[in-house]
């Protein structure tokens, strides 16, 4: 199928629209989750949605998306409360509390799923699609449910932006200002649960955590400002959603959820590697050029020192002498300095090795290097 | 061997093997490594199968376990770049590897013995299908593998108990002793991976996490000694398999889910009724502390007004409500408790400290004064 045909396909359009909605919402809310060091809470919330889906089905008596999502939201929030209770009231650490809530809620979900499947006629419920998501099963009417959820979540975030920002970066200060920190905490977590619920049909409970974490981490590499991180995360989430949905539609048999997650992982890997300031590659290049700058300065300084010591402006220093003065081999540095016209090699006497002399341009370069302070070591 | 026994034994071995490593992961704050490892081995299993065609056996075990360790290693390396917080690094790594594994399964689903749903849920109800004869008895493959892994874990924990203990509670001291805590931590993760692979067919990815974390957490809420936590965790794991099997078969629902949820039942009991760290015990402790504080407040109040002109007005039950702002009921309770404790005497509305109550008030107002006055002690 070519791209134009894909774009015209009804199912594909629905999936792409759903993936975009999900990407934007989880990108924005994931930003808060990641900055609040709650990356893995999303994982717990997503797994914890499973029993709620089954309960929603059992209560509604049919596969009605609003009922399933309401159930999912309720059980996800219950899991978040369990995590909070365990962290606050027992000696279990956050990671254990998250793993505990995640696996126990999921176990109950597995039990309920098998119960649902055991009932007559419920085999068609297709609740297992929520494990990995099944994008093709999304209906236009489902899209409306998703759109309403996304709109509620995004509107809440923009209405409470200042408050959420403060609670995220400086909860103590927020409390001192009289903000209801605990309420805002719960509200943010509940909104993350909304984003999780939004993704259940598309990517499923298992991969949903990546939808929250990856866009935020990718966006964080490019900018320091919260608003920009959130917007960029939304864009990256949406782009990954579109890429995943399109590839999946073009190559039949490849599940949409994993493809979206892989697209996201690719965006994240590229951002971690190449983002201009925080990227690992630019940082390594910066460190290397700083190291070379230091070497240049050391060699030029040594030439200058020796020249002064001998009271001879045209003094040519021997290579071994330079190595000893600088403290490490200088051959490579000397050759690059020569190419840049800062030093020249001089044939002294036949039986002696190469000698090197500082040129006027080198003198100027040295004083420039000495004026500029050592660029500080790269810091994240 | 009946089918029921085979299934329960498989569950119990998964639980014991997982909780042996899980206890240390829990105490080291690395519980979620089991989550990451559990997911990542899916990719390992598929890759080994693609490369060698092996769907089980030692090669599979080794290859898949390597994938598990590699995941944690990648996440740690990402965390060390300090571009990503540690928890986010885990949250980035394993979903990516898992997604890749699921996609490969997607493509080759027809040829490989696992499908995506088994990956998550396992099929403990069918462990009796694949068996090997041992001494004339048909023993499930899974049971053989799990027995070996459980014994290896047990041997590891007992052999390096001291090193693991010190490395867990005081990594700096362990380094000083030359215990190589890094190597032991790596071995722990490797064993977690191997355990995950061996448990995988039976309980799947997520329920493995339950067996790793929940029994250990239950033990941790009940006792303090490491050896006792380990024993309790193993006991909870075995009991959960039995209870989970019975309940699940009675209700005709997923057996693996039942066993994992049963660990939650034991955890909930420990959380509610644990003797020291349980919520009920905490509540009782807080309450008795509050009671004692109120008794002291009453004693001090009476002491300060005793023998002063306003004693008649202050040292009466009504004053507690007006001056200490206690409610009627609370005032009544405190008076009753103080009477029981022999700190006060009551004469109608009037309250007076006994000798013992006076001594208590004096100790609060002038700590140590009594001891200084009577150095011999009494």
């Amino acid at each position: 199928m070519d791209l134009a045909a894909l774009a015209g396909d009804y199912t594909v359009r629905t999936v792409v629209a759903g993936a975009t909605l999900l990407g934007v919402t989880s990108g924005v809310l994931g930003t808060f989750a990641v900055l609040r060091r709650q990356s893995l809470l999303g994982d717990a919330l997503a797994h914890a949605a499973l029993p709620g889906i089954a309960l929603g089905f059992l209560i509604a008596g049919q596969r009605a998306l609003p009922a399933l999502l309401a159930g999912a939201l309720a059980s996800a929030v219950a899991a978040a409360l369990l995590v909070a209770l365990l962290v606050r009231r027992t000696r279990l650490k956050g990671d254990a509390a998250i793993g505990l809530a995640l696996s126990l809620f999921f176990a109950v979900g597995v039990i309920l799923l098998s119960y649902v499947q055991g009932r007559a006629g419920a085999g068609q419920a297709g609740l297992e699609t929520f494990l990995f998501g099944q994008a093709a099963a999304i209906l236009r009417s489902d899209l409306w449910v998703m759109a309403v959820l996304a709109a509620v979540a995004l509107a809440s975030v923009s209405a409470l932006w200042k408050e959420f920002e403060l609670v995220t970066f400086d909860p103590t200060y927020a409390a001192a200002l009289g903000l209801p920190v605990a309420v805002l905490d719960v509200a943010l977590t509940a909104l993350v649960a909304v984003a999780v619920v939004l993704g259940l049909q598309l990517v499923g409970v298992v991969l949903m955590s990546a939808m929250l974490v990856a866009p935020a981490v990718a966006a964080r590499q490019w900018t320091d400002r919260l608003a920009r991180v959130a917007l960029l995360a939304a864009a990256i989430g949406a782009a990954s959603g579109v890429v995943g949905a399109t590839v999946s539609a073009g190559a039949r048999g490849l599940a949409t959820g994993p493809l979206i997650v892989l697209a996201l992982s690719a965006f994240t890997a590229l951002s971690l590697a190449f983002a201009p300031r925080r990227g690992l590659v630019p940082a390594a290049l910066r460190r290397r050029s700083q190291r070379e700058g230091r070497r240049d300065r050391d060699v030029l300084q040594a030439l200058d020192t020796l020249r002064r010591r001998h009271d001879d402006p045209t003094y040519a220093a021997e290579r071994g002498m330079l190595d000893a003065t600088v403290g490490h081999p200088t051959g490579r540095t000397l050759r690059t300095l020569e190419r840049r016209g800062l030093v020249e090699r001089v044939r002294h006497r036949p039986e002696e090795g190469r000698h090197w002399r500082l040129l006027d341009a080198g003198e100027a370069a040295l004083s420039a290097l000495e004026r500029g302070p050592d660029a500080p070591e790269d810091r994240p | 061997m009946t089918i029921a026994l085979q299934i329960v034994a498989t569950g119990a071995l998964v639980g014991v093997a997982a909780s042996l490593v899980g206890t240390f992961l829990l105490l080291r704050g690395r519980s979620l490594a089991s989550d990451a490892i559990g997911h990542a081995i899916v990719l390992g299993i598929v890759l080994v199968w693609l490369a060698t065609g092996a769907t089980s056996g030692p090669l599979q075990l080794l290859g898949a376990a390597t994938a598990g360790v590699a995941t944690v290693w990648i996440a740690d390396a990402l965390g060390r770049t300090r571009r990503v917080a540690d928890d986010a690094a885990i949250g980035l790594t394993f979903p990516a590897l898992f997604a890749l594994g699921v996609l490969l399964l997607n493509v080759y689903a027809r040829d490989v013995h696992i499908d995506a749903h088994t990956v998550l849920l396992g099929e403990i109800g069918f462990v009796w299908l694949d068996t090997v004869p041992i001494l004339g008895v048909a023993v499930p493959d899974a049971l053989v593998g799990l027995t070996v892994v459980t014994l290896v874990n047990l041997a590891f924990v007992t052999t390096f108990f001291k090193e693991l203990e010190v490395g867990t509670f005081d990594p700096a001291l362990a380094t000083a002793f030359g215990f190589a805590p890094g190597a032991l931590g790596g071995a722990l993760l490797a064993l977690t991976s191997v355990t995950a692979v061996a448990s995988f067919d039976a309980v799947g990815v997520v329920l493995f996490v339950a067996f790793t974390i929940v029994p250990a957490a239950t033990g941790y809420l009940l006792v303090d000694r490491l050896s006792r936590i380990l024993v309790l965790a193993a006991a909870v794991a075995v009991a959960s398999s039995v209870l989970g099997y019975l309940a699940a078969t009675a209700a005709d629902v997923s057996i693996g889910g039942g066993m994992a949820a049963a660990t939650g039942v034991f955890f909930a009991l420990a959380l509610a009724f644990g003797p020291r760290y349980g919520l009920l015990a905490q509540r009782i402790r807080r309450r008795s502390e509050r009671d004692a504080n109120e008794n002291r407040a009453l004693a001090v109040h009476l002491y300060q007004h005793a023998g002063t002109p306003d004693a008649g007005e202050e040292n009466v039950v009504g004053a507690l409500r007006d001056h200490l702002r206690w409610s009627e009921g609370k005032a009544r309770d405190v008076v009753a408790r103080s009477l029981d404790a022999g700190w006060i005497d009551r004469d109608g509305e009037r309250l007076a400290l006994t000798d013992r109550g006076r001594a208590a008030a004096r100790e609060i107002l002038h700590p140590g004064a009594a001891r200084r006055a009577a150095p011999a002690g009494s």
Side-chain angles (χ1 to χ4, degrees):
Chain A
M1 227 191 290
D2 62 53
L3 216 56
L6 271 182
D9 187 278
Y10 179 82
T11 315
V12 175
R13 274 209 310 254
T14 310
V15 173
V16 168
T20 312
L21 277 174
L22 169 63
V24 170
T25 316
S26 62
V28 170
L29 284 155
T31 300
F32 287 101
V34 168
L35 291 176
R36 274 152 44 94
R37 296 287 163 98
Q38 292 187 338
S39 295
L40 292 168
L41 191 63
D43 197 26
L45 295 185
H47 282 80
L50 192 63
I53 292 171
L55 276 180
F57 177 85
L58 286 171
I59 291 171
Q62 55 171 335
R63 197 180 194 283
L65 193 65
L68 302 189
L69 296 192
L73 192 61
S75 65
V77 170
L81 293 178
L82 175 64
V83 171
L85 168 83
L86 291 180
V87 170
R88 206 159 304 163
R89 299 289 293 278
T90 74
R91 52 188 194 146
L92 292 173
K93 296 190 193 99
D95 66 316
I98 285 175
L100 210 134
L102 178 159
S103 57
L104 287 180
F105 272 75
F106 192 81
V108 174
V110 169
I111 291 175
L112 288 175
L113 270 193
S114 63
Y115 176 80
V116 166
Q117 273 154 358
R119 303 309 103 179
Q124 288 84 43
L127 297 190
E128 289 215 348
T129 57
F130 285 103
L131 291 176
F132 291 102
Q134 193 180 47
I138 294 181
L139 307 172
R140 195 45 72 90
S141 59
D142 296 346
L143 215 49
W144 282 110
V145 178
M146 292 178 70
V148 169
L149 277 177
V152 168
L154 293 174
S156 313
V157 170
S158 63
L160 292 170
W161 181 267
K162 270 262 151 304
E163 287 79 1
F164 284 163
E165 186 173 17
L166 261 175
V167 168
T168 300
F169 289 113
D170 199 344
T172 323
Y173 181 55
L177 287 182
L179 289 177
V181 175
V183 176
L184 290 169
D185 258 355
V186 172
L188 256 179
T189 307
L191 288 175
V192 171
V194 170
V196 164
V197 162
L198 203 62
L200 292 179
Q201 260 199 315
L202 261 169
V203 299
V205 300
V206 183
L207 291 173
M208 189 51 218
S209 65
M211 292 298 301
L212 289 167
V213 177
V217 170
R220 172 68 187 90
Q221 307 310 314
W222 298 88
T223 168
D224 291 331
R225 297 270 305 276
L226 178 66
R228 289 187 195 152
V229 174
L231 284 177
L232 194 56
I236 291 172
S240 308
V242 171
V243 170
T246 317
V247 172
S248 151
R252 297 265 171 220
L254 290 184
T256 313
L259 280 173
I260 294 179
V261 169
L262 282 186
L264 261 183
S265 306
F267 271 117
T268 313
L270 289 175
S271 305
L272 280 169
F274 299 115
R277 227 167 42 75
R278 289 169 61 98
L280 295 173
V281 172
L285 289 176
R286 264 197 312 277
R287 266 198 306 278
R288 198 172 121 184
S289 85
Q290 277 167 14
R291 205 169 48 232
E292 278 170 2
R294 273 196 302 276
R295 288 217 178 121
D296 291 353
R297 189 201 53 196
D298 288 351
V299 171
L300 292 174
Q301 242 164 13
L303 280 168
D304 191 44
T305 311
L306 291 168
R307 175 173 84 154
R308 280 175 208 281
R309 203 174 290 160
H310 289 84
D311 223 1
D312 172 10
T314 63
Y315 179 76
E318 197 223 340
R319 171 65 206 287
M321 189 67 172
L322 277 172
D323 285 1
T325 313
V326 174
H328 53 74
T330 54
R332 231 172 51 130
T333 312
L334 281 168
R335 279 191 296 280
T336 56
L337 291 175
E338 182 186 28
R339 265 201 303 283
R340 286 161 58 193
L342 304 184
V343 299
E344 69 173 1
R345 51 180 101 195
V346 183
R347 200 116 184 100
H348 215 238
R349 285 198 204 112
E351 70 272 19
E352 287 179 358
R354 289 257 159 71
H355 281 59
W356 297 83
R357 172 189 295 149
L358 192 62
L359 295 173
D360 288 348
E363 208 177 323
L366 176 61
S367 58
L369 278 170
E370 280 174 336
R371 257 200 322 278
D374 245 5
E377 263 300 307
D378 188 57
R379 249 165 241 158
Chain B
M1 234 185 174
T2 65
I3 288 176
L5 189 59
Q6 293 178 16
I7 295 173
V8 170
T10 306
L13 282 179
V14 167
V16 172
S19 57
L20 275 174
V21 286
T23 300
F24 290 100
L25 293 179
L26 179 93
L27 294 174
R28 287 166 178 239
R30 301 221 69 177
S31 290
L32 289 168
S34 65
D35 191 26
I37 286 173
H39 285 86
I41 59 170
V42 174
L43 178 61
I45 288 173
V46 180
L47 287 180
V48 172
W49 173 77
L50 281 177
T52 67
T55 56
S56 62
L59 201 60
Q60 232 341 323
L61 201 69
L62 208 69
T66 309
V69 177
T71 311
V72 179
W73 185 81
I74 293 172
D76 284 352
L78 258 182
R80 269 198 304 274
T81 65
R82 288 155 72 196
R83 263 48 169 192
V84 185
D86 288 338
D87 61 330
I90 296 179
L92 279 178
T93 313
F94 80 82
L97 299 182
F98 186 69
L100 196 59
V102 170
L103 271 185
L104 288 175
L105 273 183
N106 238 253
V107 177
Y108 300 103
R110 252 154 304 178
D111 313 313
V112 75
H113 73 304
I114 40 176
D115 67 63
H117 291 171
T118 330
V119 162
L120 281 189
L121 311 178
E123 284 183 337
I124 198 167
F126 298 118
V127 288
W128 48 274
L129 283 179
D130 299 314
T131 58
V132 286
I134 291 179
L135 301 175
V137 183
V139 181
D141 288 353
L143 207 50
V144 177
L146 281 166
T147 306
V148 173
V149 169
T150 308
L151 289 177
V152 169
N153 286 359
L154 196 60
F156 175 74
V157 169
T158 46
T159 310
F160 297 108
F161 188 81
K162 179 140 280 149
E163 287 83 352
L164 279 167
E165 187 176 26
V166 179
T168 299
F169 293 111
D170 194 344
L173 184 65
T175 314
F177 280 172
F179 281 169
L184 272 183
L188 200 60
L189 291 175
L191 286 181
T192 307
S193 284
V194 170
T195 311
V197 182
S199 313
F200 178 78
D201 286 341
V203 297
V205 168
V206 187
L207 302 184
F208 169 71
V209 177
F211 280 110
T212 311
I213 299 178
V214 186
T218 309
Y220 186 53
L221 286 192
L222 290 174
V223 290
D224 290 318
R225 286 267 297 273
L226 178 58
S227 53
R228 291 190 187 150
I229 297 177
L230 282 164
V231 170
L232 258 178
V236 165
V238 173
S240 301
S241 319
V242 177
L243 179 67
Y245 177 80
L246 294 177
T249 45
D252 190 19
V253 293
S254 158
I255 296 172
M259 290 178 172
T263 63
V265 172
F266 288 106
F267 177 78
L269 288 175
L271 176 66
F273 305 115
R276 279 188 60 189
Y277 306 107
L279 295 180
L280 199 64
Q282 284 181 30
R283 198 190 189 92
I284 291 171
R285 203 160 46 234
R286 262 204 308 278
R287 196 196 192 99
S288 76
E289 268 163 25
R290 201 193 56 207
D291 287 355
N293 279 337
E294 287 166 0
N295 290 357
R296 289 194 200 106
L298 176 60
V300 167
H301 176 79
L302 295 178
Y303 181 84
Q304 284 182 320
H305 293 289
T308 63
D310 56 3
E313 185 191 321
E314 289 287 350
N315 291 1
V316 294
V317 177
L320 304 182
R321 195 183 54 224
D322 300 334
H323 295 179
L324 293 180
R325 297 187 187 285
W326 286 351
S327 71
E328 198 86 43
K330 185 171 172 182
R332 203 170 44 236
D333 288 347
V334 180
V335 168
R337 278 201 312 268
S338 298
L339 280 168
D340 284 349
W343 280 21
I344 60 171
D345 284 325
R346 180 172 184 170
D347 178 17
E349 276 296 288
R350 293 187 54 104
L351 303 169
L353 285 171
T354 60
D355 286 345
R356 192 196 275 178
R358 233 184 324 273
R362 217 178 291 130
E363 179 59 28
I364 294 163
L365 291 170
H366 314 288
R371 233 169 301 133
R372 277 198 298 279
S378 56

